[in-house]
């Protein structure tokens, strides 16, 4: 089975010379393998196409994918958006009593799965010419496990509740205070109890539009849990939350799953592992097609994902395996220290920060871990000389490049133009091209308008615009947000290489433990009381830093026997108790 896909967000018929049409050997022989439709957009006939692949390489915008698929998939198509549009094959089966996870790259169809299972999209089974129709769906699924589920969806006797991916957008559609929203949810559950559990008490009377991302995330999760529904979907519940909150939210979702069906999309693998019991991996080609693979136990699914090879399906989706070090590697710093800073303090009207003394080396990536709002940005601004400490003096001024946690782009322009606005002539440097543009696959984004980018795409653009600048210190605040697990691993490599090759250093705030493990040479540990007091110590070597950080959280990690990846221990399990008493919270 051969599919021809046109990535509509890349196709720019006004800016190209219709290379696909011009060079297609079949068209040249006089048939209609490609016809130019409305506004010059090519329509590719899958029946006539011989799969030579010439159009793929000729298209200047990388907008065409011609892909050979296993024949058996043909019968299992669930939905197709348009003639040369995205196709989804197979579906996960919702189940009561356990959290089901969906894991796969961005653009592989996870949201489409949720839209179908929540009844927002009636699947058309590949007949894109007309709207999907329940009778046809029920006929196709007769005698399968999904039949009952679809019958209930068709009769509207199943009530779905969805926590959307982009919580930042909620204040635009919902107004009022946290308490008004949560007490207004139509359901019988106790809002006050959940407000307490999710640490929302302090912000009860606050307007939604005044909330931080992490607060909005917890409010959105609470509002979803409070709904009286039969199936609950959580699309990336961890973004903007610190690790303590991620684990806390996971427990709330797990409890919900004992009585209800729950499906979660999550890219923080330590959290997905902790949260879900069964995981469906999704593979395919971004924007072209996605296949839901067989369910696996969470452990097996994540190990398989890291290995990059689906054995049962015989599909390789990455040409290397992602591995973790059981012992932190020893780093030498031949280029010596970039900065030695003394104890520093800074007081604002309602927040004060104090730090210990420390050293930043050339080429070092320092992970900054700890709760939100304990002074990480304030600290780095003092280091870079942007903010004068009240006590203590930073010896020299350093050039700082900063990627904030919440990314907004004020311009209305293409990504290419935006990169030029941010980087100027550096956008043409060999360094940017080789170390940033290539690895972050910026070429695929350049022609898009900055206003049309998805969260993950915006994150890549912001990373490129920051790492492309020459600087002494890069401050990256939650670079993993909205990136899929694969992109997180790639981004970690990009940051490490930029810092090593340019003899700079990076301070990276993030809450995804796997990401921190892959990116950081050392750790600064922040503690205190969010929004009022911050205490920062370090940088420490990874073992000391992880132990201090996880001790504050009261969480230990064991190692997976097969892949050595860290896994959260159950609180008070034998290993948890042993590790706590020996003081080895991470590298046990
Ligand atoms: P994921 O959630 O895994 O990131 P999505 O389900 O959002 O993936 O999207 C998969 C692909 O489906 C997208 O790349 C896009 O090409 C296509 N798609 C999604 N929604 C629509 C739509 N309404 N119309 C046409 N194509 C769509
Ligand atoms: Fe034409 Fe070859 Fe492209 Fe098929 S793959 S549309 S035959 S150029």
């Amino acid at each position: 089975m051969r599919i021809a896909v046109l990535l509509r967000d890349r196709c720019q018929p006004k800016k190209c010379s219709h290379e696909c049409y011009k060079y297609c050997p079949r068209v040249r022989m006089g048939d209609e393998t490609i016809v130019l439709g409305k506004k010059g957009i090519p329509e590719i006939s899958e029946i006539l196409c011989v799969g030579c692949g010439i159009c793929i390489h000729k298209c200047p915008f990388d907008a065409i994918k011609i892909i050979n698929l296993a024949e058996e998939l043909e019968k299992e198509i669930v939905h197709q958006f348009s003639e040369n549009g995205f196709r989804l094959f197979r579906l996960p089966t919702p189940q009561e009593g356990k959290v089901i996870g969906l894991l796969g790259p961005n653009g592989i169809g996870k949201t489409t799965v949720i839209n179908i299972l929540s009844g927002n999209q009636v699947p058309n089974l590949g007949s894109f010419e007309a709207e999907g129709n329940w009778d046809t769906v029920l006929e196709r699924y007769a005698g399968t496990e999904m039949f009952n589920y679809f019958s209930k969806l068709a009769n509207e006797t199943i009530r779905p509740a969805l926590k959307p991916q982009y919580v930042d957008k909620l204040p635009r559609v919902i107004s009022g205070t946290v308490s008004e929203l949560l007490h207004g949810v139509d359901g019988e559950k106790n809002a006050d109890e959940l407000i307490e559990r999710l640490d929302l008490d302090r912000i009860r009377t606050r307007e939604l539009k005044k909330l931080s991302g992490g607060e909005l995330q917890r409010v959105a999760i609470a509002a979803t849990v409070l709904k009286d529904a039969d199936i609950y979907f959580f699309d990336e519940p961890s973004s903007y939350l610190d690790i303590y909150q991620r684990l806390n939210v996971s427990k709330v979702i797990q409890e919900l799953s004992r009585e209800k069906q729950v499906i979660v999309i999550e890219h923080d693998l330590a959290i997905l592992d902790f949260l879900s019991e069964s995981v469906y991996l999704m593979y395919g080609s971004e924007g072209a097609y996605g296949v839901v693979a067989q369910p696996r136990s969470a452990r097996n699914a994540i190990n398989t994902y890291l290995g990059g090879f689906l054995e049962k399906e015989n599909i390789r989706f990455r040409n290397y395996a992602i591995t973790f070090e059981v012992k932190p590697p020893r780093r030498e710093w031949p280029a010596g220290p970039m900065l030695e800073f003394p104890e520093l303090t800074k007081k604002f009207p309602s927040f004060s920060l104090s730090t210990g003394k420390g050293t930043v080396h050339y080429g070092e990536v320092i992970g900054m871990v700890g709760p939100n709002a304990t002074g990480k940005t304030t600290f780095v601004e003092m280091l870079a000389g942007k903010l004068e400490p009240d006590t203590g003096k930073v010896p020299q001024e350093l050039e700082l490049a900063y990627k904030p946690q919440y990314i907004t782009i004020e311009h209305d322009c293409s990504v290419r133009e935006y990169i030029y606005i941010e980087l100027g002539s550096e956008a043409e440097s060999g360094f940017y091209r080789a170390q940033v543009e290539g690895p972050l696959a910026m070429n695929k984004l350049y022609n898009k308008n900055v206003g049309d980018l998805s969260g993950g795409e915006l994150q890549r653009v912001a990373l490129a615009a920051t790492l492309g600048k020459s600087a002494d210190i890069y401050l990256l605040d939650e670079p993993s947000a909205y990136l899929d697990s694969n992109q997180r691993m790639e981004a970690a490599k990009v940051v490490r290489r930029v810092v090593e090759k340019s003899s700079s250093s990076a301070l990276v705030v993030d809450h995804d433990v796997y990401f921190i493990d892959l990116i950081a040479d050392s750790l600064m540990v922040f503690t205190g009381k969010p929004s009022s007091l911050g205490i920062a110590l370090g940088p420490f070597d990874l073992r000391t830093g992880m132990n201090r950080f996880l001790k504050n959280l009261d969480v230990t990690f064991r190692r997976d026997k097969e892949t050595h990846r860290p896994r959260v221990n159950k609180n008070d399990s034998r290993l948890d108790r042993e590790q706590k008493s020996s003081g080895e919270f991470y590298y046990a």
Side-chain angles (χ1 to χ4, degrees):
M1 170 189 188
R2 179 177 305 124
I3 64 169
V5 183
L6 181 72
L7 303 174
R8 288 292 301 275
D9 54 345
R10 291 196 204 153
C11 176
Q12 311 235 11
K14 278 197 200 133
K15 294 191 187 161
C16 74
S17 325
H18 301 128
E19 283 85 349
C20 54
Y21 181 80
K22 259 194 214 155
Y23 290 99
C24 173
R26 304 283 307 189
V27 173
R28 296 177 89 144
M29 281 166 63
D31 81 7
E32 297 199 322
T33 303
I34 300 183
V35 290
L36 296 177
K38 252 194 280 169
K39 298 186 184 160
I41 292 172
E43 289 163 14
I44 308 170
S45 157
E46 287 172 0
I47 297 168
L48 297 175
C49 168
V50 290
C52 68
I54 289 175
C55 56
I56 307 175
H57 302 292
K58 289 289 178 188
C59 172
F61 300 117
D62 245 347
I64 296 176
K65 293 191 181 186
I66 309 278
I67 305 170
N68 291 320
L69 295 181
E71 288 305 322
E72 70 264 21
L73 281 179
E74 191 157 9
K75 293 192 287 300
E76 298 196 70
I77 185 160
V78 176
H79 193 74
Q80 179 169 354
F81 283 105
S82 58
E83 178 168 8
N84 297 126
F86 180 85
R87 265 163 261 215
L88 173 72
F89 299 92
R90 303 189 185 135
L91 281 172
T93 314
Q95 236 177 319
E96 217 162 86
K98 55 183 178 183
V99 177
I100 289 179
L102 273 185
L103 175 59
N106 285 333
I108 209 79
K110 298 180 299 299
T111 310
T112 307
V113 167
I114 286 193
N115 281 336
I116 291 172
L117 293 181
S118 61
N120 286 334
Q121 171 94 58
V122 183
N124 62 21
L125 311 180
S127 307
F128 51 85
E129 300 85 356
E131 294 280 298
N133 156 327
W134 281 125
D135 291 337
T136 328
V137 174
L138 292 176
E139 204 173 303
R140 150 79 111 50
Y141 285 91
T144 72
E145 265 186 279
M146 284 305 287
F147 180 82
N148 268 343
Y149 187 84
F150 278 137
S151 319
K152 287 187 200 157
L153 261 188
N155 304 328
E156 295 181 14
T157 52
I158 200 163
R159 293 158 303 170
L162 167 69
K163 198 292 291 173
Q165 182 181 26
Y166 297 117
V167 291
D168 342 28
K169 293 188 181 145
L170 289 179
R172 287 187 227 157
V173 286
I174 308 172
S175 56
T177 66
V178 171
S179 181
E180 282 163 3
L181 169 68
L182 296 183
H183 284 103
V185 176
D186 196 18
E188 299 193 341
K189 288 177 217 159
N190 185 341
D192 288 320
E193 192 189 317
L194 205 54
I195 286 174
E196 197 75 35
R197 275 192 77 179
L198 294 178
D199 289 332
L200 297 171
D201 209 21
R202 216 169 27 87
I203 54 161
R204 262 173 198 271
T205 54
R206 213 172 288 167
E207 295 278 326
L208 290 193
K209 59 176 181 289
K210 298 255 168 71
L211 300 185
S212 71
E215 290 164 346
L216 273 175
Q217 184 70 272
R218 280 173 290 138
V219 169
I221 291 169
T224 311
V225 172
L226 285 173
K227 277 197 190 128
D228 226 348
D230 304 295
I231 181 160
Y232 294 78
F233 300 95
F234 295 90
D235 196 345
E236 294 191 42
S238 79
S239 320
Y240 301 135
L241 300 185
D242 61 43
I243 178 165
Y244 161 77
Q245 295 162 340
R246 288 177 190 206
L247 291 168
N248 196 23
V249 154
S250 299
K251 288 178 196 154
V252 169
I253 295 177
Q254 275 171 341
E255 280 171 33
L256 179 71
S257 78
R258 304 227 170 94
E259 291 172 7
K260 306 286 183 169
Q261 300 174 349
V262 175
I263 295 190
V264 177
I265 297 177
E266 182 51 60
H267 298 295
D268 178 331
L269 296 180
I271 293 299
L272 182 71
D273 188 29
F274 176 75
L275 169 63
S276 53
E277 276 131 272
S278 174
V279 170
Y280 287 83
L281 291 171
M282 287 187 70
Y283 64 91
S285 171
E286 191 186 320
Y289 79 100
V291 184
V292 179
Q294 297 293 317
R296 290 165 160 84
S297 69
R299 170 175 179 260
N300 184 336
I302 293 168
N303 286 356
T304 304
Y305 183 79
L306 293 171
F309 180 61
L310 288 168
E311 210 172 271
K312 273 189 231 163
E313 293 82 358
N314 195 21
I315 301 272
R316 177 160 298 287
F317 53 88
R318 198 185 316 103
N319 52 16
Y320 60 93
I322 294 162
T323 53
F324 291 86
E325 307 282 348
V326 184
K327 287 204 181 84
R330 269 207 165 279
R331 282 285 315 249
E332 304 289 329
W333 304 108
M338 170 192 271
L339 176 71
E340 298 191 57
F341 60 89
E343 291 176 2
L344 304 168
T345 64
K346 182 79 199 172
K347 230 180 165 57
F348 295 115
S350 61
F351 178 75
S352 62
L353 171 70
S354 64
T355 79
K357 58 181 186 190
T359 306
V360 179
H361 300 92
Y362 289 103
E364 183 173 16
V365 180
I366 299 171
M368 299 212 285
V369 291
N372 283 326
T374 46
K376 301 183 199 79
T377 314
T378 310
F379 167 70
V380 180
E381 285 183 344
M382 290 198 290
L383 273 199
K386 297 270 169 294
L387 192 66
E388 188 76 29
D390 296 338
T391 65
K393 192 168 164 27
V394 180
Q396 78 250 43
E397 286 225 343
L398 295 169
E399 196 64 44
L400 174 68
Y402 175 42
K403 187 209 77 70
Q405 186 178 24
Y406 308 112
I407 306 160
T408 42
I409 297 184
E410 302 296 336
H411 306 272
D412 176 22
C413 60
S414 69
V415 171
R416 189 187 301 277
E417 285 162 337
Y418 175 69
I419 290 291
Y420 271 95
I421 293 170
E422 287 292 310
L423 301 186
S425 58
E426 288 188 65
E428 281 165 26
S429 69
F431 185 83
Y432 172 75
R433 292 258 148 94
Q435 305 304 336
V436 182
E437 180 187 73
L440 288 175
M442 293 300 291
N443 276 327
K444 304 213 162 117
L445 302 179
Y446 277 150
N447 292 304
K448 288 195 171 187
N449 193 289
V450 290
D452 296 334
L453 299 174
S454 69
E457 290 171 338
L458 195 58
Q459 187 68 264
R460 274 155 62 203
V461 171
L463 275 173
T466 310
L467 294 170
K469 293 190 176 102
S470 49
D472 303 303
I473 294 191
Y474 296 93
L475 168 57
L476 309 174
D477 198 347
E478 207 176 341
S480 77
Y482 297 132
L483 295 184
D484 65 43
S485 311
N486 230 7
Q487 291 168 333
R488 289 176 192 204
M489 317 293 168
E490 289 296 323
K493 279 201 255 170
V494 173
V495 173
R496 292 199 59 88
R497 269 200 306 259
V498 164
V499 162
E500 272 163 29
K501 296 231 183 277
S502 64
S503 277
S504 51
S505 74
L507 290 117
V508 182
V509 180
D510 212 280
H511 306 289
D512 178 330
V513 171
Y514 286 16
F515 183 71
I516 285 289
D517 187 308
L518 291 170
I519 204 169
D521 296 304
S522 49
L523 286 183
M524 285 217 47
V525 182
F526 284 71
T527 52
K529 196 162 175 290
S531 304
S532 77
L533 174 71
I535 302 160
L537 292 174
F540 299 108
D541 64 73
L542 282 178
R543 167 175 260 135
T544 314
M546 278 294 192
N547 283 341
R548 279 179 173 253
F549 165 53
L550 295 174
K551 189 165 188 202
N552 293 334
L553 281 173
D554 200 33
V555 170
T556 59
F557 283 78
R558 67 186 177 285
R559 293 295 166 149
D560 183 70
K561 287 194 191 77
E562 225 171 281
T563 61
H564 304 307
R565 71 181 167 87
R567 307 187 70 198
V568 177
N569 280 327
K570 267 215 171 68
N571 191 29
D572 215 30
S573 64
R574 185 180 55 83
L575 279 177
D576 184 58
R577 276 182 277 131
E578 277 174 17
Q579 286 181 234
K580 279 175 184 162
S581 73
S582 70
E584 288 291 1
F585 285 69
Y586 193 72
Y587 294 104

